[in-house]
Amino acid sequence: MEKEENKMRLQQFMAHCGVASRRACEQYILDGRVVVNGNVVQELGVKVSLTDEVLVDGKKIFLEENKRYVLLNKPEGYVCSLSDEKERQVAVDLIKNKYSERLYNVGRLDMYSQGAIIFTNDGNFAQKLSHPSAELEKEYIVETTRPLPSSLAADFMKGIRIDNVFYRCKKAVELNSHKICIILIEGKNREIRKVFESRDVGIKSLTRVRIGCVGLGNLKPGESRDLSGAEVNALLKLCHNKEY
C-alpha cells in the first residue's frame, strides 16, 4: 500500500503537471473533469501518488520535470484562457509552439488590453503570484480618447465606489492630457475600465507594462521570453503571502 506521505492532494498534483493553477484545478475537480484510476473525482480531499492514473478532460497528465516561466506581451484581441468556446484567439497559442510543456497564464488581461502576462507550468509559483495576499504591483499605461478629468488620478488613489464595489489604485500619475500611468495591487475584474467608464472617459489603449519587478522592456506585441531564475526568485520575494 502506498504510504500516505508519498501522496499529494489531487489539485496539487494537477498543478505540478502544468494543468493550471491550484485554485483553477480545484474547479476542474468540482466540475467533474478529472478521472482517477477510472473514477470521476469531484471532491477536493482526494490524494494521489505517482502510480495513479489521472486524466483531465480525457487526457492523461504527467509530472513535468522542467519548470517554465514565460513573459508574453499579449496583443489586443487575444483572450487569456486555455480554450475559448467563442473560438476567439487565445493568448497561449502565441507561445505553445516554442515549448513542449503545457503552460497556462498567471492572472488575466481582458481581450481588449495588451501587455505583460506570465505563463508557467509551476502551480506553486502561479498560486503565490495570483493569491490576493501577494500584493504584487501591476503597472499600466492608459491612453484616452479625450482629455483626462483633472480629479481622476486623485480620486482613484482615494478610492471610487461603483455599483457597491470599491476601487482604489496604489498610484496614478498623469503623463499628459490623454495618458496616465496607474499602479494596481489587487486588480479587480476590469477595474481600470470601470473607473474610466464611470467618468465617461473612453480608453484608446490599455497596456500592462510591468508585473512586480518584471517589465516588458523591448518585447513587441506577440513576442515572449523566458524569465531568468533571478526574476522568478525576485517575484516570489515580492509576494507578501507566507502560506496559501
Side-chain angles (χ1 to χ4, degrees):
M1 181 177 292
E2 189 82 26
K3 292 184 179 180
E4 188 68 20
E5 59 264 29
N6 293 331
K7 293 187 175 185
M8 68 177 73
R9 290 188 180 275
L10 178 56
Q11 58 267 36
Q12 183 182 9
F13 176 80
M14 291 167 61
H16 285 315
C17 290
V19 173
S21 68
R22 192 179 304 182
R23 185 178 300 176
C25 288
E26 290 176 352
Q27 193 59 52
Y28 278 38
I29 296 169
L30 295 174
D31 290 343
R33 298 169 61 180
V34 184
V35 174
V36 179
N37 298 328
N39 300 310
V40 176
V41 175
Q42 289 184 272
E43 298 177 358
L44 299 181
V46 173
K47 291 186 176 183
V48 296
S49 69
L50 296 180
T51 60
D52 291 313
E53 182 183 65
V54 181
L55 282 71
V56 178
D57 294 334
K59 296 181 180 180
K60 188 173 180 179
I61 61 174
F62 304 88
L63 287 176
E64 293 182 341
E65 294 182 3
N66 295 324
K67 298 300 182 185
R68 294 286 186 185
Y69 311 90
V70 180
L71 176 68
L72 169 70
N73 185 348
K74 184 189 88 67
E76 291 184 30
Y78 286 78
V79 296
C80 291
S81 176
L82 296 184
S83 62
D84 186 68
E85 67 282 356
K86 298 180 181 178
E87 298 184 354
R88 295 172 295 185
Q89 299 179 104
V90 180
V92 72
D93 287 346
L94 294 168
I95 62 172
K96 68 179 183 180
N97 291 333
K98 293 175 61 177
Y99 303 96
S100 60
E101 295 84 7
R102 180 174 177 172
L103 305 178
Y104 53 89
N105 47 284
V106 181
R108 293 176 181 270
L109 274 175
D110 69 52
M111 179 177 176
Y112 301 105
S113 299
Q114 61 187 23
I117 187 161
I118 294 172
F119 286 81
T120 189
N121 61 344
D122 185 338
N124 289 334
F125 173 82
Q127 184 72 4
K128 285 190 175 184
L129 261 64
S130 58
H131 197 279
S133 67
E135 297 184 358
L136 196 63
E137 287 188 0
K138 299 172 185 71
E139 182 176 344
Y140 302 80
I141 300 296
V142 184
E143 293 190 62
T144 60
T145 57
R146 72 178 184 85
L148 292 159
S150 59
S151 63
L152 179 58
D155 289 347
F156 201 176
M157 285 189 287
K158 291 177 183 177
I160 298 173
R161 187 170 296 278
I162 303 169
D163 296 330
N164 292 321
V165 179
F166 190 69
Y167 300 100
R168 181 169 60 191
C169 66
K170 180 176 181 179
K171 189 174 183 180
V173 179
E174 288 188 28
L175 303 178
N176 59 43
S177 63
H178 289 71
K179 185 182 290 187
I180 187 171
C181 174
I182 295 171
I183 297 177
L184 299 179
I185 290 180
E186 184 177 0
K188 298 183 176 73
N189 183 40
R190 298 185 74 250
E191 177 167 354
I192 293 175
R193 293 190 183 278
K194 289 178 180 178
V195 168
F196 279 57
E197 286 170 6
S198 73
R199 300 299 173 92
D200 295 320
V201 179
I203 291 179
K204 182 178 179 181
S205 68
L206 197 165
T207 305
R208 183 156 67 194
V209 297
R210 177 173 63 87
I211 300 173
C213 57
V214 176
L216 280 179
N218 296 322
L219 279 184
K220 296 180 175 62
E223 293 184 342
S224 62
R225 68 170 179 86
D226 291 315
L227 296 182
S228 67
E231 287 175 319
V232 171
N233 290 332
L235 283 169
L236 291 173
K237 287 180 180 179
L238 286 173
C239 296
H240 291 187
N241 46 358
K242 303 300 181 182
E243 301 290 340
Y244 55 95

